[in-house]
Amino acid sequence: KNEVEQSPQNLTAQEGEFITINCSYSVGISALHWLQQHPGGGIVSLFMLSSGKKKHGRLIATINIQEKHSSLHITASHPRDSAVYICAVSPHTGNQFYFGTGTSLTVIP
Amino acid sequence: DVKVTQSSRYLVKRTGEKVFLECVQDMDHENMFWYRQDPGLGLRLIYFSYDVKMKEKGDIPEGYSVSREKKERFSLILESASTNQTSMYLCASSLQRYGYTFGSGTRLTVV
């Protein structure tokens, strides 16, 4: 049973395209996180959000708590955005996170 | 910035060897975690610790043990490495539930 589902699993885009990655979850949460992992690299946190929308540069993250759904958008995508994007949730109880399986994004020049 | 340091980026070990993966964090984080990451399976929790000398099993603890003698250090031990333990291992730490900080990972190959 997967508490966090991401789609799509893999995504290839042309440079400049607008990209959307989706995340749905089934548990009550205190926060949702979007993480980025470059090939061979560690994981960095992009956003932590519990309501509404956050923006950082070309990245935008939204969350709808009622629908238990979040999206990560990348505007004007660039090859350096190529990475695995992981959605994670911190449930109301316990200290561990639940992770989605990740979306592998490749942006072609 | 909190830093989580894993001792090795790449490691190659033989079947049957005892393997130690070390993780050190430089803030006063209570919680530390060991995950393995495999294609198509995502991150799976092996063990976590919420205090010194405390440990809890995660989803896939079989074949692993852990040690937390000091707050800043959390070690993952493979008692007798096997080829199905070839994977990327990620350590993370957190202060309560305010977000994880991940190490850069150790890619372990067991031959």
Side-chain angles (χ1 to χ4, degrees), chain A residues 96-98, chain B residues 35 43-48 57-62:
Chain A
Q96 57 169 298
F97 285 12
Y98 296 125
Chain B
Y35 289 87
L43 285 147
R44 292 182 292 165
L45 181 64
I46 305 171
Y47 268 96
F48 66 100
K57 291 181 181 178
D59 299 318
I60 49 162
E62 297 78 20

Side-chain angles (χ1 to χ4, degrees), chain B residues 61-111:
Chain B
E62 297 78 20
Y64 303 94
S65 62
V66 289
S67 170
R68 194 165 181 201
E69 296 296 317
K70 293 185 179 181
K71 195 169 189 178
E72 67 269 20
R73 185 181 295 269
F74 191 36
S75 303
L76 179 70
I77 303 151
L78 287 66
E79 296 289 342
S80 176
S82 63
T83 54
N84 62 14
Q85 292 178 308
T86 292
S87 187
M88 167 74 97
Y89 289 88
L90 286 149
C91 175
S93 74
S94 77
L95 184 63
Q96 298 177 0
R97 282 182 277 134
Y98 294 120
Y100 277 21
T101 300
F102 281 91
S104 52
T106 296
R107 188 165 292 283
L108 172 68
T109 303
V110 182
V111 297

Side-chain angles (χ1 to χ4, degrees), chain A residues 44-98:
Chain A
V44 297
S45 178
L46 297 173
F47 295 104
M48 180 171 81
L49 60 164
S50 53
S51 66
K53 176 170 145 177
K54 283 192 177 179
K55 185 174 191 287
H56 186 257
R58 293 179 295 104
L59 272 57
I60 303 165
T62 64
I63 187 168
N64 185 319
I65 295 289
Q66 287 72 30
E67 293 185 8
K68 290 188 162 68
H69 182 268
S70 174
S71 293
L72 176 69
H73 306 286
I74 305 175
T75 61
S77 59
H78 190 276
R80 65 174 173 266
D81 296 326
S82 298
V84 174
Y85 294 85
I86 301 169
C87 172
V89 299
S90 42
H92 284 309
T93 57
N95 284 318
Q96 57 169 298
F97 285 12
Y98 296 125

